[in-house]
């Protein structure tokens, strides 16, 4: 089958989105609404688990929230005043129903459901150790490792078991956990993945909500309370909220790509408007990389705020030179080679009357493999553009992410294998420029990137990974050993 964009792998896929609520009538219905607002973070699968005080109830399905959680026969059984949900794009584990979250297990202490945004970078090593000790895994997801660590912990209370488990994992995680004792929400010590808390006022204390982004609070009518701090664990039991900080305090390193692409522009991330930051990125890009052009054109939709900032700073008119179709499904027809080649136009089409004879500057959020950029540039030339310049609202992506973002292996990243001139030649643009790493930090309101203690995780641009990469190092060691053995043989 032909996807709506044959070059869909030419992007950094969103990590996942999580949403939980405690103390609400028909909690699962509010979770479904919250997941709708987070659908951009994962379109592969969705799931909701609820708790009615006695039993846990779960429904998980492949596909979008709509179509799976808008049916009464599915929603009515998800009863209870506590619920959590998850939208998924797989970064570890196969695409299968058994990996769809929330994951659930019956532990000695009672039911345990978990929804995870992020990636455990030592999950493979932990899994091997747990299997040797007798654990039986039901999925290939790294999230299940946490369940087994909790189950085998020698601590007494669920919270202490959970903290004990988290002290053994590396990497990035925002988690929502449901137990008979209450709901737990937490963030990794560096705060790489986002998590916010909100509240809906009402009788008996109202409802407490946790979500990946503030936009999910908006859709259910909740008030933003605060971000969960890096390394913080919040426990909700009825109307009682307690905060635990079991990890040594370290400088936070939230993912900088949330501002570039992942978060919805109407979200607030770490007290900053994502939309405002993206416009500032575009303005800084115009300062660093001006171009003589007639029009500024965004690559929709993620390039639009940066293009507005670029146009305002440069004085070049902003126009919608590429029109995106929002109504094409994920599959279309059995493709011939010719149809597959034309497939990019299913989502994007040139506004020919506007482009013909014009010198244009295209603004996009990033370049990964470069195949989509090539098709977009070719589309502009076919529409009669006199010149096509491309400006990118992030630094070159030269390194893979191991914290919950699905990126190609480094050898397939265009910026890892080609210099700027070679990249421009590859995508057939008249010129190409990226915002500098210091310029990106300026758009965040900082003078420049602090090389010793950067305020964000920017490893995909710099290779400066803020945690150990145990599984990656293990794989590299095996590869190196195999290469050495091959040479010896």
């Amino acid at each position: 089958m032909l996807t709506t964009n044959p070059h869909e792998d030419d992007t950094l896929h969103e990590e996942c989105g999580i949403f939980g609520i405690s103390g609400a009538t028909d909690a699962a219905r509010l979770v479904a609404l919250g997941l709708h607002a987070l659908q951009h973070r994962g379109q592969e699968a969705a799931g909701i688990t609820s708790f009615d005080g006695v039993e846990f109830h779960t429904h998980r399905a492949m596909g979008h929230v709509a179509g799976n959680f808008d049916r009464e026969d599915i929603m009515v059984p998800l009863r209870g005043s506590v619920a959590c949900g998850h939208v998924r794009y797989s970064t570890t584990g196969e695409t299968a129903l058994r990996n769809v979250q929330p994951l659930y297990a019956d532990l000695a202490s009672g039911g345990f459901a978990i929804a995870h945004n992020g990636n455990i970078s030592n999950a493979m090593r932990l899994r091997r150790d747990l299997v040797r000790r007798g654990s039986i895994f039901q999925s290939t997801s790294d999230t299940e490792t946490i369940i087994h660590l909790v189950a085998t912990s020698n601590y007494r209370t669920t919270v202490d078991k959970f903290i004990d488990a988290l002290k053994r994992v590396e990497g990035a995680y925002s988690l929502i956990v449901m137990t008979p004792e209450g709901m737990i929400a937490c963030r990794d010590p560096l705060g790489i993945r986002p998590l916010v808390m909100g509240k809906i006022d009402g009788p008996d204390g109202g409802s407490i909500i946790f979500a990946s982004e503030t936009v999910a609070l908006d859709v259910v009518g909740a008030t933003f309370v605060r971000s969960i701090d890096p390394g913080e664990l919040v426990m909700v039991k009825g109307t009682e909220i307690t905060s635990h900080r079991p990890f040594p305090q370290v400088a936070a390193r939230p993912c900088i790509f949330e501002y570039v692409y992942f978060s919805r522009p109407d979200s607030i991330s770490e007290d900053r408007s994502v939309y405002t930051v993206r416009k500032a990125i575009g303005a800084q890009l115009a300062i660093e990389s001006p171009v003589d052009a007639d029009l500024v054109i965004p690559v929709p939709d993620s390039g639009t705020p940066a293009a507005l900032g670029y146009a305002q700073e440069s004085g070049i008119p902003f126009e919608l030179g590429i029109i995106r179709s929002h109504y094409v499904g994920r599959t279309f027809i059995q493709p011939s080679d010719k149809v597959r080649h034309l497939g990019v136009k299913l989502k994007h089409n040139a506004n020919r009357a506007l482009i013909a004879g014009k010198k244009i500057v295209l603004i996009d959020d990033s370049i990964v493999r470069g195949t989509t950029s090539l098709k977009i540039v070719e589309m502009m030339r076919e529409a009669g553009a006199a010149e096509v310049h491309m400006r990118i609202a992030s630094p070159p992506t030269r390194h893979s992410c191991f914290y919950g973002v699905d990126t190609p292996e480094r050898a397939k990243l265009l910026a890892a294998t080609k210099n700027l001139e070679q990249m421009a030649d590859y995508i057939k643009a008249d010129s190409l420029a990226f915002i500098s790493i210091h310029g990106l930090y300026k758009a965040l309101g900082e003078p420049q990137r602090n090389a010793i203690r950067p305020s964000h995780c920017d490893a995909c641009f710099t290779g400066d990974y803020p945690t150990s990469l145990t599984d990656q190092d293990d794989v590299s060691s095996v590869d190196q050993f195999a290469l050495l053995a091959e040479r010896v043989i």
Side-chain angles (χ1 to χ4, degrees):
M1 302 298 285
L2 176 64
T3 64
T4 55
N5 180 357
H7 315 287
E8 265 187 339
D9 60 347
D10 187 27
T11 187
L12 299 181
H13 287 285
E14 299 89 335
E15 324 83 80
C16 288
I18 57 177
F19 186 98
I21 184 166
S22 177
T25 304
D26 289 333
R29 295 180 187 272
L30 291 176
V31 171
L33 287 174
L35 294 182
H36 272 290
L38 299 173
Q39 187 73 83
H40 60 287
R41 300 186 73 91
Q43 297 89 49
E44 183 179 276
I48 296 176
T49 297
S50 67
F51 180 59
D52 62 12
V54 179
E55 293 182 288
F56 288 81
H57 312 277
T58 296
H59 182 77
R60 302 179 297 163
M62 306 304 295
H64 290 187
V65 179
N68 284 313
F69 293 98
D70 52 6
R71 292 164 39 193
E72 284 299 294
D73 62 319
I74 289 175
M75 297 308 299
V76 169
L78 294 173
R79 56 189 179 273
S81 62
V82 183
C84 70
H86 187 272
V87 288
R88 179 176 193 260
Y89 183 88
S90 62
T91 57
T92 64
E94 63 185 327
T95 300
L97 189 59
R98 64 175 177 161
N99 288 329
V100 179
Q101 298 184 32
L103 299 182
Y104 175 81
D106 284 307
L107 307 184
S109 56
F112 188 93
I114 183 170
H116 172 206
N117 170 209
N119 192 55
I120 306 303
S121 57
N122 65 335
M124 289 171 57
R125 183 180 288 189
L126 289 170
R127 184 185 180 108
R128 287 195 297 267
D129 180 59
L130 287 162
V131 169
R132 280 195 295 265
R133 291 160 51 196
S135 290
I136 300 173
F137 280 74
Q138 300 298 314
S139 76
T140 59
S141 169
D142 61 329
T143 308
E144 191 180 354
T145 304
I146 298 173
I147 296 177
H148 288 275
L149 291 173
V150 172
T152 56
S153 172
N154 293 322
Y155 282 83
R156 187 177 60 85
T157 70
T158 301
V159 171
D160 288 337
K161 288 175 179 287
F162 186 48
I163 291 171
D164 181 41
L166 295 182
K167 287 184 175 179
R168 295 188 58 190
V169 304
E170 301 169 356
Y173 55 82
S174 284
L175 302 167
I176 297 175
V177 169
M178 291 167 50
T179 77
E181 297 178 28
M183 176 173 282
I184 306 170
C186 69
R187 251 176 121 186
D188 65 79
L190 292 171
I192 297 174
R193 300 267 68 88
L195 191 63
V196 299
M197 180 167 65
K199 184 177 182 180
I200 299 177
D201 292 325
D204 303 321
S207 307
I208 298 298
I209 300 174
F210 302 101
S212 293
E213 293 183 41
T214 61
V215 69
L217 303 179
D218 298 337
V219 78
V220 298
T223 301
F224 171 71
V225 175
R226 64 179 178 88
S227 293
I228 303 302
D229 289 335
E232 182 184 17
L233 184 150
V234 177
M235 179 82 178
V236 181
K237 296 182 180 180
T239 59
E240 180 186 357
I241 303 173
T242 56
S243 175
H244 305 262
R245 299 177 187 272
F247 304 101
Q249 188 172 357
V250 294
R253 296 281 298 273
C255 174
I256 203 166
F257 221 90
E258 290 287 342
Y259 295 105
V260 174
Y261 176 67
F262 292 136
S263 292
R264 263 180 46 168
D266 46 342
S267 281
I268 305 296
S269 181
E270 308 295 335
D271 298 324
R272 297 180 178 96
S273 161
V274 174
Y275 177 79
T276 300
V277 171
R278 286 182 186 166
K279 283 188 67 179
I281 291 172
Q284 181 64 31
L285 184 57
I287 293 170
E288 293 183 356
S289 302
V291 62
D292 178 19
D294 301 311
L295 301 174
V296 173
I297 294 175
V299 177
D301 288 319
S302 55
T304 301
L308 282 168
Y310 193 101
Q312 290 175 5
E313 179 64 34
S314 65
I316 302 171
F318 170 95
E319 294 287 355
L320 296 179
I322 302 172
I323 306 302
R324 179 185 174 189
S325 170
H326 295 268
Y327 305 105
V328 181
R330 289 185 63 84
T331 58
F332 183 55
I333 56 175
Q334 292 287 348
S336 65
D337 288 341
K338 181 178 180 180
V339 170
R340 182 182 288 109
H341 176 73
L342 297 174
V344 71
K345 294 183 179 179
L346 291 172
K347 273 191 177 178
H348 298 126
N349 194 40
N351 191 347
R352 291 177 174 270
L354 184 73
I355 292 168
K358 299 293 197 308
K359 296 183 291 184
I360 65 171
V361 52
L362 294 169
I363 309 293
D364 205 355
D365 60 87
S366 60
I367 291 181
V368 183
R369 299 174 189 259
T371 50
T372 296
S373 299
L374 170 61
K375 295 299 180 185
I376 293 291
V377 171
E378 288 179 338
M379 184 190 300
M380 296 296 98
R381 295 203 186 281
E382 290 171 4
E387 295 179 12
V388 183
H389 304 270
M390 199 150 199
R391 297 293 180 266
I392 307 300
S394 64
T397 303
R398 294 192 172 101
H399 305 271
S400 297
C401 176
F402 301 103
Y403 300 123
V405 179
D406 186 48
T407 52
E409 59 189 68
R410 193 180 181 202
K412 295 180 180 179
L413 294 170
L414 192 69
T417 58
K418 299 182 185 299
N419 61 31
L420 188 64
E421 183 179 352
Q422 290 169 334
M423 284 191 281
D425 288 342
Y426 178 84
I427 67 172
K428 300 181 180 179
D430 291 288
S431 73
L432 170 67
F434 297 77
I435 193 171
S436 68
I437 189 67
H438 291 305
L440 182 57
Y441 277 84
K442 283 182 181 179
L444 289 170
E446 302 181 23
Q448 62 178 12
R449 181 183 189 269
N450 186 323
I452 298 174
R453 189 174 294 175
S455 62
H456 289 77
C457 177
D458 52 23
C460 54
F461 308 132
T462 65
D464 180 7
Y465 295 99
T467 76
S468 300
L469 300 175
T470 299
D471 290 341
Q472 185 66 22
D473 293 341
D474 286 350
V475 170
S476 298
S477 296
V478 170
D479 290 344
Q480 290 171 9
F481 179 81
L483 181 61
L484 178 62
E486 184 179 309
R487 287 173 177 170
V488 171
I489 292 171

